[in-house]
Amino acid sequence: IDRARDQLLRGKSLSELVRRKEEKAYDALKMVYEAERDYPGRYNLVHSMGVLGDRRAIPTLLSALRYEQALEIRCHAASALGEFADDAEARNMLMYIAQQEPDAQVRRNAVIALSKRMTDDNRRFLESLSQTEKHAEVRMAIDHLLQQR
């Protein structure tokens, strides 16, 4: 099997594990994510961890938000953490990212993730952030989410 075909088969296998919510799916995703930094579509692994909803993914997703990670990985990690926005550490990191992340797209994904669990604290945070956010796209996302929920 050539490398490209092997990667395609592995990707489909991982997707199927997630779709079926297989018990070992998180372990497989984490193993590939941590062992193969050059894995094509590595950001999809991060996304799949959120879709899977396995709380063991929280530390991996938090580390995926570090600045040395590729932009698409940080974007997907912020989105994926929305599945765990009820977890204090995940919520605190999302709030930090929403305020401090240099990239507007990652900030916007953090805002959307926080809105998945629109608690009173999250609402107050987003209302405050709306007043200070300088990037129009992020500010518009905040305002839209606040109106929806």
Side-chain angles (χ1 to χ4, degrees):
I1 298 177
D2 64 50
R3 185 163 172 84
R5 184 165 176 218
D6 183 46
Q7 292 294 348
L8 179 63
L9 290 173
R10 288 175 68 212
K12 288 182 180 267
S13 296
L14 289 169
S15 295
E16 187 63 19
L17 285 173
V18 172
R19 187 185 71 75
R20 292 182 182 186
K21 303 261 184 190
E22 292 283 339
E23 188 175 319
K24 296 180 180 180
Y26 170 71
D27 296 324
L29 292 169
K30 182 180 179 192
M31 181 186 70
V32 175
Y33 178 79
E34 290 180 347
E36 300 182 42
R37 295 188 69 65
D38 64 340
Y39 182 82
R42 194 164 179 246
Y43 60 90
N44 283 328
L45 299 171
V46 173
H47 169 77
S48 294
M49 287 179 194
V51 170
L52 193 58
D54 188 322
R55 297 185 87 70
R56 295 177 298 159
I58 294 171
T60 304
L61 294 172
L62 291 171
S63 72
L65 286 168
R66 285 186 272 186
Y67 296 124
E68 65 268 11
Q69 298 293 340
L71 175 62
E72 64 270 4
I73 290 175
R74 293 196 329 268
C75 284
H76 284 277
S79 294
L81 274 173
E83 299 304 319
F84 309 103
D86 59 335
D87 177 86
E89 189 175 8
R91 184 178 56 255
N92 290 338
M93 178 58 83
L94 286 169
M95 289 178 170
Y96 175 80
I97 293 297
Q99 291 177 307
Q100 302 297 323
E101 164 66 40
D103 186 85
Q105 187 177 0
V106 179
R107 286 197 316 275
R108 182 176 82 53
N109 286 6
V111 163
I112 293 168
L114 280 168
S115 75
K116 289 183 177 183
R117 302 284 196 278
M118 191 61 91
T119 63
D120 290 341
D121 287 342
N122 287 357
R123 176 173 287 284
R124 282 191 293 276
F125 172 79
L126 293 174
E127 288 169 348
S128 174
L129 187 60
S130 176
Q131 303 302 312
T132 60
E133 175 59 52
K134 294 185 180 2
H135 194 275
E137 183 181 339
V138 179
R139 197 171 49 254
M140 286 174 31
I142 295 168
D143 293 342
H144 176 74
L145 292 165
L146 287 170
Q147 288 173 5
Q148 276 189 327
R149 297 181 172 134

